[in-house]
């Protein structure tokens, strides 16, 4: 039986959507318990009673606008702080939050703690691809660490490959380095150095540079990059896809009867496409390299996204992913210090 | 009368598409002359005879695969090298190429020469936006300089604002810094320093950080960023829009009769949308900060893209943009050295 701590607060639809996600997860998986943190009355209103769910009432919330580390220090009764403390003490085994990404990241690092020899735990992002034989690509770092060294990118490759194997069932995950050109020698000072490290490491199935125009083509299983670039990629993708869909929509609306009819006929197709590009199915970003599985989902997460995140935390616990990562890096003192 | 040097070689459809673009430009503008460089027989085959066009036969081409500076040194009779030498000697006033971007950039810097006090001339990119009152946004650097200092980004802001005013007719162009968050203090070491420089410069109408999810929203006239990030943004946009259109296409093709009919009815709308996202209308990227207007267009440029690029070089010459940029930076020794 695995116990997963779920922060019910700080999201766009807190606590309703989070509680409903918990209800779905409890119904689907009979080998999990959930501890859910936040406003007691609000949680109880939507919670399906279950012997496997414990509500932990908390009175404070760290918002997106707050500086995360300061929030952590000041708000001892914030839902994410209490949840992280429960993971640290062993009351819970993993954590999910749709609240402030910064606060979840800070709680993971400062309360749950980093694995030995991982300097900068990355946050992952999972994208759909247009390649049916490789329908998802995992990227790290999606934004946790704007400034870093090449050795951190090498660590991301190792840590993300564990995720790809353990949670996404990819046998021997291929790794690509996001870069502004495919040839060896392309890039800035950081990516050129990272290329050399990735190429030299026998534990990484490295396939070379990948240009961002191939991100959704499904050419590798794992993409690594520094957190600044990763965040730029994620936000550019978000901006372009939203702008394109909005342009298509206004073409249809401003068009004649032909366009409107066409739009009506394609409505289901567009909706299923939008769903594929939605975070809901992807389950959020995992913080890899801390002493427990932690997942951050989008602030707008609905019940399905929360359930998916809980499911991935369960898979991660069952497969002992954190222990594997921790063992790997503990043994590699000489490489990483 | 302005003389524009046009490199006919090195593009996907060289020299046909380039020559046809020249024909269009000569027909449309009676105050320009064109010198066109490349394979004489191939050019003559498509060229409409005109007293305002001179064919300059060249025998070599620097390809995309070649290391640009080495290509420049070895191939003295490469079309781009001969064209750049003509600009340097005053035979021509501006230059357009759809060939190797690297070779065009290297020829511009090493043969035509940099303006005083501009260390790293950027390449611009022009994107369509979803904001009808600000339908285009200019970005620099789109990829010329992967490693740079914050002061270079400040220079991009100044130089790009001249482009925005002189060629795009924007009265008092607003400038945004591409960053991974909107608040002051966000970013990596480079963007935090660039933010401070941009904010402190009274000659820049600085509006703060812009997240890439807003790039196509049309929130500012000019976006500045280092060349590594700019290139990542351009290539992510390209990848996402291509993947989305390919997903829409396969939804329609794999769908039932309803989807197929819807696709047929929306065909014109999709095509006009694709055209908006096409380089054709945008005229390529300008190298700003060299001693003459130079434009690099996409390797797949058709006649319209070439004509648009020639038109922008004409506007740039008429408005004396290079002289204005050169004057500005010549006076600012103390700031930029």
């Amino acid at each position: 039986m695995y116990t997963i701590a779920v922060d019910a607060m700080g999201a766009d639809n807190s606590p309703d959507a989070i509680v409903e996600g918990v209800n779905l997860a409890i119904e689907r998986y009979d080998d999990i318990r959930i501890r859910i943190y936040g406003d007691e009355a609000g949680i109880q209103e939507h919670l399906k009673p279950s012997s496997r769910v414990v509500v932990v009432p908390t009175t404070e919330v760290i918002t997106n606008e707050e500086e995360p580390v300061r929030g952590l220090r000041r708000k001892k009764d914030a839902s994410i702080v209490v949840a992280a403390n429960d993971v640290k003490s062993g009351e819970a085994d993993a954590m999910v939050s749709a609240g402030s990404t910064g606060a979840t990241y800070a709680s993971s690092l400062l309360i749950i703690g980093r694995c030995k020899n991982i300097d900068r735990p990355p946050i992952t992002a999972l994208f759909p691809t247009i390649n049916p034989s490789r329908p998802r690509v995992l990227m790290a770092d999606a934004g946790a660490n704007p400034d870093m060294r090449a050795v951190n990118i090498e660590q991301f490759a190792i840590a993300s490959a564990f995720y790809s194997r353990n949670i996404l069932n990819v046998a021997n995950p291929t790794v690509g380095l996001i870069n502004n050109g495919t040839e060896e020698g392309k890039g800035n000072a950081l990516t050129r150095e990272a290329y050399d490290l990735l190429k030299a490491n026998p534990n990484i199935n490295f396939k070379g540079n990948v240009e961002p125009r191939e991100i959704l083509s499904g050419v590798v299983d794992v993409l690594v990059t520094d957190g600044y670039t990763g965040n730029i990629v994620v936000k550019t993708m978000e901006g372009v896809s939203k702008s394109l869909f909005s342009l298509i929509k206004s073409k249809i609306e401003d068009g004649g009867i032909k366009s409107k009819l066409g739009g009506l006929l394609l409505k289901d197709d567009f909706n299923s496409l939008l769903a594929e590009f939605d975070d809901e199915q992807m389950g959020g970003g995992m913080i890899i390299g801390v002493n427990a599985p932690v997942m951050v989902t989008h602030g707008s997460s609905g019940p399905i996204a929360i359930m998916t995140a809980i499911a991935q935390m369960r898979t991660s616990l069952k497969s002992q992913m954190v222990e594997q990562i921790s063992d790997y890096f503990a043994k590699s003192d000489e490489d990483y210090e």
Side-chain angles (χ1 to χ4, degrees), chain A:
Chain A
M1 192 69 87
Y2 308 105
T3 305
I4 297 161
V6 177
D7 175 10
M9 309 307 287
D12 300 355
N13 304 306
S14 276
D16 319 15
I18 319 300
V19 176
E20 275 156 30
V22 166
N23 292 338
L24 292 173
I26 284 288
E27 198 173 299
R28 179 173 295 194
Y29 305 106
D30 57 13
D31 57 355
I32 62 168
R33 293 180 192 281
I34 293 201
R35 293 174 69 84
I36 179 165
Y37 303 77
D39 173 55
E40 189 171 15
I43 293 173
Q44 292 292 8
E45 194 185 329
H46 297 90
L47 190 68
K48 270 197 200 154
S50 159
S51 63
R52 290 184 284 119
V53 181
V54 173
V55 179
V56 183
T58 59
T59 56
E60 294 177 296
V61 181
I62 303 177
T63 65
N64 279 309
E65 289 67 39
E66 264 171 289
E67 204 287 304
V69 177
R70 184 184 301 176
L72 230 70
R73 297 222 167 102
R74 289 195 183 167
K75 296 184 170 171
K76 299 291 178 200
D77 201 41
S79 51
I80 188 72
V81 173
V82 179
N85 275 313
D86 274 6
V87 174
K88 187 189 162 80
S89 72
E91 285 281 338
D93 307 306
M95 183 165 85
V96 170
S97 176
S100 153
T101 300
T104 307
Y105 189 75
S107 305
S108 302
L109 256 67
L110 302 177
I111 300 172
I112 299 173
R114 285 189 288 117
C115 299
K116 195 181 164 193
N117 296 326
I118 299 190
D119 308 328
R120 312 247 179 160
I123 295 183
T124 63
L126 199 56
F127 304 125
T129 80
I130 58 172
N131 176 359
S133 67
R134 188 182 275 128
R136 293 186 292 191
V137 58
L138 183 70
M139 183 182 86
D141 179 9
N145 305 287
D147 289 297
M148 58 176 50
R149 294 175 303 134
V151 66
N152 300 125
I153 295 178
E154 185 188 2
Q155 293 177 4
F156 297 170
I158 295 285
S160 304
F162 277 105
Y163 181 128
S164 184
R165 274 190 294 266
N166 290 34
I167 300 190
L168 307 176
N169 289 315
V170 177
N172 183 19
T174 50
V175 174
L177 173 66
I178 293 185
N179 211 341
N180 65 349
T182 50
E183 306 88 347
E184 187 167 352
K186 281 278 182 181
N188 59 12
L190 181 67
T191 56
R192 284 193 301 270
E193 194 187 338
Y195 187 101
D196 293 340
L197 293 177
L198 292 164
K199 195 178 169 189
N201 189 324
N203 297 313
I204 297 170
N205 187 2
F206 184 51
K207 296 295 177 195
N209 292 323
V210 174
E211 285 190 303
R213 59 164 68 104
E214 301 296 338
I215 284 180
L216 301 183
S217 310
V219 292
V220 291
D221 300 301
V222 171
L223 286 165
V224 289
T225 181
D226 66 280
Y228 176 78
T229 303
N231 203 254
I232 294 289
V233 166
V234 169
K235 288 177 175 162
T236 304
M237 290 177 60
E238 198 179 319
V240 174
S241 49
K242 280 203 179 140
S243 301
L244 271 176
F245 279 117
S246 119
L247 283 171
I248 291 172
K249 210 177 150 201
S250 53
K251 283 268 174 219
I252 291 171
E253 281 168 0
D254 302 347
I257 185 83
K258 193 176 126 190
S259 303
K260 290 198 176 77
L261 185 59
L264 210 62
L265 290 169
L266 283 180
K267 202 175 171 187
D268 293 344
D269 291 313
F270 282 134
N271 285 339
S272 88
L273 198 59
L274 271 168
E276 282 170 38
F277 267 77
D278 197 343
D279 296 305
E280 291 282 308
Q281 308 302 321
M282 291 288 136
M286 186 159 181
I287 301 172
I288 324 185
V290 290
N291 291 320
V294 177
M295 191 153 259
V296 192
T297 69
H298 207 281
S300 62
S301 294
I304 304 287
I306 299 298
M307 185 196 66
T308 308
I310 293 171
Q312 293 197 350
M313 294 301 86
R314 170 180 169 272
T315 309
S316 157
L317 291 166
K318 278 172 86 96
S319 69
Q320 301 199 295
M321 180 176 121
V322 168
E323 290 78 357
Q324 291 175 26
I325 293 176
S326 183
D327 283 355
Y328 178 92
F329 284 99
K331 282 181 203 137
S332 52
D333 279 33
E334 60 279 23
D335 293 323
Y336 292 102
E337 287 201 302

